[in-house]
Amino acid sequence: MTLSTNGYLEVLNMKVLFAAGDPKPERWTVPIQQLLPEAEVFNWDPNGEPVNADYAIVWQPPEALFERERQLKAVFNLGAGIDGLLKVANLPRDIPVVRLEDAGMSVQMTEHVIHQLVDISRNMQVYRDQQAAGTWKIHRPIRRKDWPVGVMGLGHIGKRVARSIASLDYQVSGWARSEHHLDGVTCYAGTDRFDDFLAQTRVLINTLPLTDATRGILNADTLAKLRPDAVVINVGRGEHLVEDDLLQAIDNGQVAHASLDVFQSEPLPADHPFWQRAEITITPHVSARTQRDDTLEQITGKIRAHSQGQPITGVVDMSQGY
């Protein structure tokens, strides 16, 4: 190591490999190089030779990367969810895998969820229909106690969603695998409290990570335990939802509306039945988009810290999948 002119301890000959399938990788590699002047930065070339990288910054990387690059000290994922990365069969299990922490996504997702919640709970579609018909009519304001909200998943994003909705005086509960304590939010933990959480929820918001334990968690049994005229807002992963179960719950009147931003198949196929259902609001996976500047500042800062032997946050517990 040596001390650089900007005051950082530089690790000489550090190599960083970018592998995210971007058709214009220079949008990433150039700022990475600027933020890590002490490193050599490479873009993944599927036909190239090993670069003997120390760190890889990836999004859904090919297995060939880990076959070729065998000196990696850590892998940094360009997203908070690592379910796509875990599908890579030869992902090294003996080095840290680091997920993205927020990077501007929590505020976006909170905005999206609140927009969907308010639009549905205040029945704004009625006013849009009245506008189209040239009708002026005022309807009775809602009672927030009639719209209890339940947030599944109390990670960084889920906590911000729950707190923000609670600040609007909705009754909010949260559920997670482990214990959490949030001001203004009633928290439930573990599978033995899941039914209690569902029983007091009308608007169910999913922000869970996708793991074997959470895959298909939005199913017929879960939906049946919600309060009548339930609403489902899914901003987690499409694989959390059993799609046929949702359609059946809408048909039998248990679920009044669903707002879906993620799907099992994306783009959503043109012949998918969701398109034809007025009870379903569809957005094309836009509830939160990665902010490049914030993302790269976070990742390169962690690479520098790790290279200097300092602890970093966001390291994935591979046994839990998040």
Side-chain angles (χ1 to χ4, degrees):
M1 295 185 183
T2 185
L3 187 65
S4 70
T5 56
N6 60 12
Y8 288 118
L9 282 173
E10 293 184 349
V11 179
L12 299 179
N13 301 317
M14 180 170 63
K15 296 180 179 180
V16 177
L17 179 61
F18 177 79
D22 192 314
K24 296 182 178 180
E26 64 276 7
R27 294 183 293 190
W28 297 86
T29 55
V30 170
I32 291 170
Q33 186 67 79
Q34 293 170 341
L35 290 163
L36 284 174
E38 66 268 35
E40 292 183 84
V41 180
F42 301 84
N43 183 54
W44 167 252
D45 180 354
N47 300 312
E49 296 295 321
V51 301
N52 298 318
D54 299 286
Y55 299 99
I57 301 173
V58 305
W59 180 253
Q60 298 181 348
E63 291 186 10
L65 185 152
F66 300 110
E67 293 172 0
R68 186 189 304 174
E69 300 296 329
R70 297 183 176 273
Q71 296 183 193
L72 291 171
K73 299 173 182 176
V75 176
F76 291 82
N77 191 53
L78 282 173
I82 66 158
D83 43 288
L85 183 56
L86 292 177
K87 294 178 183 177
V88 180
N90 62 344
L91 176 69
R93 305 292 178 172
D94 57 345
I95 62 174
V97 172
V98 187
R99 61 179 177 82
L100 194 62
E101 296 179 286
D102 197 347
M105 290 188 290
S106 67
V107 65
Q108 296 178 68
M109 194 165 288
T110 299
E111 288 174 336
H112 179 91
V113 168
I114 288 177
H115 173 82
Q116 301 300 323
L117 169 64
V118 172
D119 190 77
I120 295 166
S121 66
R122 297 191 61 174
N123 204 6
M124 300 307 292
Q125 185 61 48
V126 167
Y127 294 104
R128 287 191 287 269
D129 293 342
Q130 287 182 187
Q131 178 180 347
T135 301
W136 179 281
K137 183 179 180 181
I138 298 174
H139 297 270
R140 181 178 299 175
I142 67 168
R143 299 189 307 171
R144 278 170 172 74
K145 68 179 183 179
D146 293 337
W147 293 90
V149 175
V151 179
M152 293 201 306
L154 294 174
H156 187 79
I157 290 175
K159 286 179 180 177
R160 184 156 189 176
V161 169
R163 288 191 182 113
S164 297
I165 295 174
S167 74
L168 299 176
D169 292 342
Y170 287 86
Q171 174 187 318
V172 181
S173 297
W175 177 83
R177 180 173 179 170
S178 56
E179 293 282 351
H180 292 269
H181 300 280
L182 300 175
D183 290 342
V185 178
T186 302
C187 295
Y188 297 82
T191 55
D192 59 332
R193 299 300 310 277
F194 189 48
D195 286 357
D196 296 334
F197 163 78
L198 295 174
Q200 56 75 54
T201 296
R202 181 178 179 186
V203 181
L204 183 64
I205 299 168
N206 177 45
T207 71
L208 287 166
L210 182 64
T211 67
D212 289 342
T214 65
R215 191 181 308 274
I217 194 170
L218 296 174
N219 54 39
D221 184 59
T222 295
L223 300 177
K225 292 174 181 176
L226 298 172
R227 290 195 177 187
D229 294 321
V231 172
V232 176
I233 300 176
N234 187 21
V235 291
R237 286 289 187 266
E239 292 88 343
H240 284 130
L241 175 66
V242 180
E243 295 179 344
D244 288 342
D245 288 2
L246 174 63
L247 290 170
Q248 184 175 355
I250 291 173
D251 287 340
N252 67 27
Q254 171 60 18
V255 171
H257 197 91
S259 173
L260 309 178
D261 185 58
V262 288
F263 305 89
Q264 293 186 15
S265 179
E266 295 181 6
L268 189 65
D271 61 351
H272 197 286
F274 283 175
W275 288 113
Q276 309 305 319
R277 301 305 295 259
E279 305 94 339
I280 297 177
T281 297
I282 293 170
T283 52
H285 206 145
V286 295
S287 61
R289 305 296 301 276
T290 300
Q291 302 293 312
R292 187 182 296 116
D293 291 348
D294 292 343
T295 295
L296 290 182
E297 286 180 9
Q298 180 183 138
I299 289 177
T300 56
K302 289 183 179 182
I303 288 175
R304 177 175 288 118
H306 188 271
S307 71
Q308 297 172 2
Q310 300 173 12
I312 59 175
T313 59
V315 177
V316 174
D317 183 338
M318 300 298 283
S319 66
Q320 296 187 13
Y322 60 91

